[in-house]
Amino acid sequence: MALFSAFQTTFLLALLSLKTYQSEVLSEPLSLAPESLEVSIDSARQCLHLQWSVHNLAYHQELKMVFQIEISRIKTSNVIWVENYSTTVKRNQVLRWSWESKLPLECAKHSVRMRGAVDDAQVPELRFWSNWTSWEEVDVQSSLGHDPLFVFPKDKLVEEGSNVTICYVSRSHQNNISCYLEGVRMHGEQLDPNVCVFHLKNVPFIRETGTNIYCKADQGDVIKGIVLFVSKVFEEPKDFSCETRDLKTLNCTWAPGSDAGLLTQLSQSYTLFESLKATKCAPRTLCKHKSWCNWQVSPDSQEMYNFTLTAENYLRKRSVHLLFNLTHRVHPMAPFNVFVKNVSATNATMTWKVHSIGNYSTLLCQIELYGEGKVIQKQNVSVKVNGKHLMKKLEPSTEYAAQVRCANAHHFWKWSEWTRRNFTTAEAAPSEAPDVWRNVKSVQGHCVVTLFWKPLSKLQANGKILFYNVVLENLDRPSTLKLLSIPAPANGTELTLDRCSYQIHVTANNSVGTSPASVIAVSGDPGNKEVEEERVKGTEDGFCLSWKPQPGDVTGYVVEWCERPGDPLCDLQWKNLGPNTTSTVVSSDAFRPGVRYNFRIYGISTERIPYLLEKKTGYSQELVPSDNPQVLMSNLTSYSFTLSWKDYAAESQPGFVRGYSLYLKSKAARCLPGSEKAVLSDDSICCKYKIDNPKQKTFVVENLQPASFYEFFLTPYTSVGEGPQGAFTKVTTPDEYSHILIRIILPMIFSILLIMILCYLKSQWMKEKCYPDIPDPYKSSVLSLIKSKENPRLTIMNVKDCIPDAIEVINKQEGTRKSLTETEPTKPTYLYLLPTEKSHSGPGPCICFENFTYNQAASDSVSCGHVPVTPKAQPSQLGLLTSSENVPKALGKNYVNSLGEIPAGETNLNYVSQLASPMCGDKSSLPTNPPEPALCSEYKTQMAIPMGLASPPSITLLDEGEHDH
Amino acid sequence: MLACLCAVLWHLPAVPALNRTGDPGPGPSIQKTYDLTRYLEHQLRSLAGTYLNYLGPPFNEPDFNPPRLGAETLPRATVNLDVWRGLNDKLRLTQNYEAYSHLLCYLRGLDRQAATAELRRSLAHFCTSLQGLLGSIAGVMAALGYPLPQPLPGTEPTRAPGPAHSDFLQKMDDFWLLKELQTWLWRSAKDFNRLKKKTQPPPAAVTLHLEAHGF
């Protein structure tokens, strides 16, 4: 009650006051003018801050007023800005208003004035302008200091594309000032003599350290500058989006725009504001992160939200909006408690739970089943809280992965993350019989059967194969069964059987059961009949094999081959084919080029007995021969030679040898018939013979030139090409006549040898016949006969015993004939003849004893009987020969020379013995009696004594011991 | 390689050969210091080019020669020729040592301002080299028996521009820092060349003497 009475009093007082006011206005219009106007400067922002108040208002009175503000530059008459500012005014309230100048405030003097008017409907009568305030002058220049030059604004920060006004203030009137933008001179507008203004439009971003602007005076070293920092345009956030995972928290994300590109990055702030329910409780959230922000969902089930994201930096503010229904922005959490239960060989059940997203919400869950890395089943299930899904048609003993994710069923926004579980199905009995093949060998009367089987595929095995059962059924004795259990992972076994026929059953077993049996029979007859081998051409895709269909009942065919033909283990492979198949392609990654593969095609009889049908051989890819044959050359003649290479193994080559190429080099320009010119890899030209028959292992090279040099080289060739180039073998054909010569000369030599041998064997006979020994008179049996009869009258006459009866001395001119052995041709050689008991004190006068028995000419021509004169015999030496004892010794030195050896030019003594015998060469007939030395004399005996006649008694016989034999 | 060089230079004072008791005397260490100044000259040429381009025109213009405003705290390398000739070895070395100590501090401030990683790396390399030069000068002074100048407390140069220090003036300071550094390296090369000649024994006289003996 007291409160009411106090309020009523106050109201009445106010009414009284208004009444008084009205009475005053009516009498004198009340001026509500702005008062106490103050102007301050913010140089960095180039702002003028105005503050004033209105004093004439009544206490607690609030009126709407409008203030007109005028801003002039340089002089008051130059008004550059007029603005009406409306606001509610209280008594003594300090009012503020700011104005940003385009021109830096330092560049010019600014003046501000204002006036006010009441703009209130309550008091329409007060709607008139008050008086202007006085001009408030803002002159920053006066406080700049005493520097000669200033440039403004200082280090301003603007956005790319802005317009900027720059000015300089110079203190000196004389100096010309030049200003440069990035080194390029600017041209401005002279505001007053000391101030110049430059307008930069659409400034670009240049570098992070800012754009340099500087001014300098023409005189002196005055330079001033500023850095204009131009930032890149602040972009609005992109991809703004909000979602919730639990209906309690909203997570809003966005992509911030590019940065300012400046050295000092401008700080950016992001604010999130919800406008539909702008409650006082946190209507605005200042985001801590640059790209996301969380918002707590109010508990009053507000469904609609209108978010505003505001991005702000020093220069600009950007906003993006987002209006959405909360339930449409549900991003469910990943399912939990996910299990795979009741896993059998073919089925499994998956169960899971989901986080609730409201009381009546339903989630759509997606289940994916992965097998071997691929999706094999995909299913969608509606779930409220618990999910369950049965997975069927699974493979036994197989690893699977199942995963589940969920989304809002009614308003799909986003799938949750996957939750994944792995499981393996249970095993089942093997579904297929193992693929079995055999190799039969006969060893010592037994049949050795090697069984091979291929491991079952994963789909066929249905689990881990533990062992293989082999049952041998003797067909001859059907009641006899033999069981062998072979543990896995064996893929074969060897059985030694007798000659009986057997049927073999092979089964694969895992932990659950047994596979169907594979049956193969072995007959007592191995049936290795001779089948001709055919060649087959392989391709990149394999070998295309075909065979003739069998007329009888055939249950199928088997193609068998070795993947490693050279290997003892062979790696036997086989391929089962149906009874109606007559061709197949055998391919394998193991096939290598240049390897010969042999294929055997078997037919399988109704009794399951395989029998060989055909053999094929071929290369998957033929190569050139790897080596050349060792060639032997034979039958070399002047015109041909034969080559042979019988040891060459053509089958071991990496291709079918189609023939041979023989290269022959010769000096002949033309190739022989049967050959053609070929150029070798070293650019040499030769002749090439082609031998097309691969079985031909000899070749005769004919039509060659005798005594010519040839080189040959033989190489095999396959369908791909020839073998490696090797060294040429050199051969030279023999001369054409050499064989004829050999045919003649050899028998001749043989004959001569034979004759020589015969002669040697019969030499005694020959001697006797051709040149019997000349009897030596001294050894003659006559002598003994004489001696034995002691007949002094019967003797052999000695030459010394002959007394010459005439001596002819012939003087010859010196120098007419010279001998090669002559040492002193000018000196005559003296030969003392007839050294008898009658000694001569010196050479006597040359006396010639004429003996007419002999013809002069005959004595000159006949050499027999000459007394040789030793060329070395010096006069002094010869002088020794005067002694009768010395003569035989001197002559005994076999100085028996021909006539030519006798010095011809000197004065010589030619002695012709009268006992000269017509028998030549008998040394014993030499005169032993030294002749009388006589200078320049020639002695001829004139005494002729008949053979066998007695000499005069004055002649004495020499002793036998003095004979020189 | 640069790291190895700097490590060697940093340990130069500890090398016994630089001590006066060592046999070779200060000659080799003076030669090494001279070589290092030439190497730093070369290195600075590349660094200054990059950094001035980073500042932008007019700082990277070849004929830009602004007045030395606001860079008074930088040690001046230019000196009257007669004064320079009159410097004794100790004073010469001390001036060098003090100048590079100050310049190194300013340079580290420059390093902190650089924006690009490549420029920061180049500046860091140069600072390490300059540190090596300081160590080398200290080694020469120790070899000659001169004490190292002690920094006065509170006079450690810092790079903290005041509120009135505009960005343009800051760039000007950076320009002058690089320019003064270059001038100091030129001067140091001359200083150490002069020192080198003084410390070398007169080889010509010895040679002549030996030759006279020879005849």
Side-chain angles (χ1 to χ4, degrees), chain A residues 5 28 135 146 188 300 357 391 508 666 668 884 911:
Chain A
S5 59
E28 184 183 337
W135 286 103
H146 302 288
D300 56 357
I357 55 166
M391 294 173 282
S666 66
S884 61
Y911 168 71

Side-chain angles (χ1 to χ4, degrees), chain A residues 7-74:
Chain A
F7 178 75
Q8 196 175 21
T9 311
T10 309
F11 181 74
L12 287 173
L13 280 171
L15 201 64
L16 181 66
S17 166
L18 182 61
K19 203 167 182 139
T20 313
Y21 166 72
Q22 281 180 343
S23 62
E24 283 175 7
V25 167
L26 288 172
S27 61
E28 184 183 337
L30 184 65
S31 169
L32 290 178
E35 294 173 70
S36 309
L37 175 63
E38 290 179 19
V39 182
S40 61
I41 297 170
D42 181 354
S43 287
R45 289 179 178 267
Q46 297 180 196
C47 280
L48 286 178
H49 298 297
L50 276 64
Q51 65 175 37
W52 69 96
S53 57
V54 180
H55 297 302
N56 291 338
L57 277 175
Y59 190 71
H60 293 307
Q61 185 184 11
E62 280 193 19
L63 281 177
K64 280 187 180 176
M65 287 189 70
V66 59
F67 298 96
Q68 192 171 53
I69 304 163
E70 276 189 356
I71 300 173
S72 64
R73 183 171 286 164
I74 303 171

Side-chain angles (χ1 to χ4, degrees), chain A residues 154-155 182-184 207-214 221-227 229 263, chain B residues 53-59 61 64 66-67 69 113-116 164 166-168 171-172:
Chain A
K154 275 188 176 176
D155 305 333
E182 287 289 311
V184 180
R207 72 175 70 78
E208 56 193 1
T209 55
T211 306
N212 301 322
I213 298 162
Y214 72 101
D221 54 356
V222 178
I223 181 167
K224 281 290 173 71
I226 59 163
V227 178
F229 290 100
L263 186 60
Chain B
N53 279 333
Y54 170 71
L55 295 182
F59 302 102
E61 289 169 358
F64 182 61
L69 302 173
Q113 277 202 331
T116 64
S166 73
D167 286 299
F168 191 81
K171 285 188 176 182
M172 201 94 96

Side-chain angles (χ1 to χ4, degrees), chain B residues 79-112:
Chain B
V79 66
N80 184 280
L81 187 61
D82 293 332
V83 174
W84 180 76
R85 281 180 182 151
L87 290 174
N88 61 27
D89 294 349
K90 183 184 174 186
L91 197 56
R92 193 182 296 281
L93 286 166
T94 303
Q95 282 185 0
N96 270 278
Y97 187 86
E98 284 177 342
Y100 288 117
S101 300
H102 283 67
L103 290 168
L104 186 61
C105 286
Y106 287 121
L107 208 59
R108 283 180 176 147
L110 209 65
D111 185 14
R112 282 192 289 273

Side-chain angles (χ1 to χ4, degrees), chain A residues 449-675:
Chain A
V449 178
T450 310
L451 283 179
F452 303 95
W453 56 81
K454 293 175 183 171
L456 292 175
S457 70
K458 204 175 174 184
L459 282 174
Q460 296 166 337
N462 289 341
K464 186 181 180 185
I465 298 297
L466 300 176
F467 57 91
Y468 295 89
N469 278 340
V470 179
V471 177
L472 301 175
E473 185 187 353
N474 192 329
L475 295 176
D476 299 334
R477 287 175 290 171
S479 58
T480 309
L481 290 177
K482 190 177 176 186
L483 173 66
L484 297 169
S485 187
I486 295 147
N491 58 358
T493 187
E494 191 171 273
L495 307 168
T496 304
L497 307 174
D498 52 24
R499 280 290 176 185
C500 302
S501 299
Y502 279 88
Q503 201 168 49
I504 303 168
H505 304 254
V506 181
T507 56
N509 299 267
N510 63 13
S511 63
V512 178
T514 303
S515 73
S518 183
V519 180
I520 193 164
V522 179
S523 88
D525 175 23
N528 290 332
K529 63 174 183 178
E530 288 299 320
V531 176
E532 193 175 342
E533 191 176 65
E534 288 179 28
R535 285 185 179 181
V536 62
K537 187 174 172 60
T539 63
E540 287 182 356
D541 300 326
F543 292 90
C544 187
L545 306 174
S546 60
W547 55 93
K548 292 170 191 164
Q550 293 302 300
D553 290 335
V554 175
T555 59
Y557 296 96
V558 171
V559 178
E560 173 197 277
W561 73 94
C562 283
E563 289 214 328
R564 293 199 297 272
D567 200 314
L569 293 175
C570 168
D571 192 10
L572 185 70
Q573 302 289 320
W574 69 95
K575 190 175 181 181
N576 275 309
L577 298 155
N580 299 324
T581 314
T582 55
S583 67
T584 186
V585 175
V586 176
S587 58
S588 169
D589 293 337
F591 288 153
R592 297 281 174 266
V595 178
R596 182 184 283 201
Y597 295 97
N598 299 308
F599 300 90
R600 290 162 170 261
I601 298 160
Y602 292 87
I604 309 294
S605 70
T606 50
E607 293 82 23
R608 306 294 303 165
I609 299 171
Y611 55 93
L612 183 63
L613 295 178
E614 292 183 24
K615 286 185 188 175
K616 311 268 183 185
T617 184
Y619 297 85
S620 65
Q621 184 188 341
E622 284 193 67
L623 302 178
V624 295
S626 57
D627 53 356
N628 295 322
Q630 295 284 331
V631 181
L632 299 173
M633 188 187 69
S634 57
N635 300 339
L636 175 66
T637 67
S638 302
Y639 298 101
S640 67
F641 57 83
T642 305
L643 302 175
S644 67
W645 56 96
K646 289 180 179 170
D647 296 336
Y648 184 62
E651 288 74 21
S652 60
Q653 296 304 313
F656 293 117
V657 172
R658 306 292 174 95
Y660 299 89
S661 296
L662 175 68
Y663 293 94
L664 187 71
K665 283 185 189 174
S666 66
K667 289 179 180 175
R670 288 185 178 179
C671 286
L672 297 170
S675 65

Side-chain angles (χ1 to χ4, degrees), chain B residues 142-210:
Chain B
L144 294 172
Y146 303 139
L148 285 181
Q150 295 297 319
L152 292 173
T155 58
E156 189 67 24
T158 53
R159 188 186 167 83
H165 209 71
S166 73
D167 286 299
F168 191 81
L169 282 177
Q170 188 64 62
K171 285 188 176 182
M172 201 94 96
D173 286 354
D174 294 348
F175 174 86
W176 269 105
L177 170 61
L178 295 173
K179 186 166 183 177
E180 205 62 69
L181 198 52
Q182 196 168 45
T183 320
W184 264 109
L185 287 170
W186 289 340
R187 174 176 162 175
S188 295
K190 289 187 177 301
D191 282 334
F192 288 103
N193 201 27
R194 195 175 178 85
L195 276 173
K196 190 172 64 177
K197 284 178 183 169
K198 282 177 76 173
T199 51
Q200 275 175 352
V206 174
T207 310
L208 192 65
H209 180 71
L210 287 174

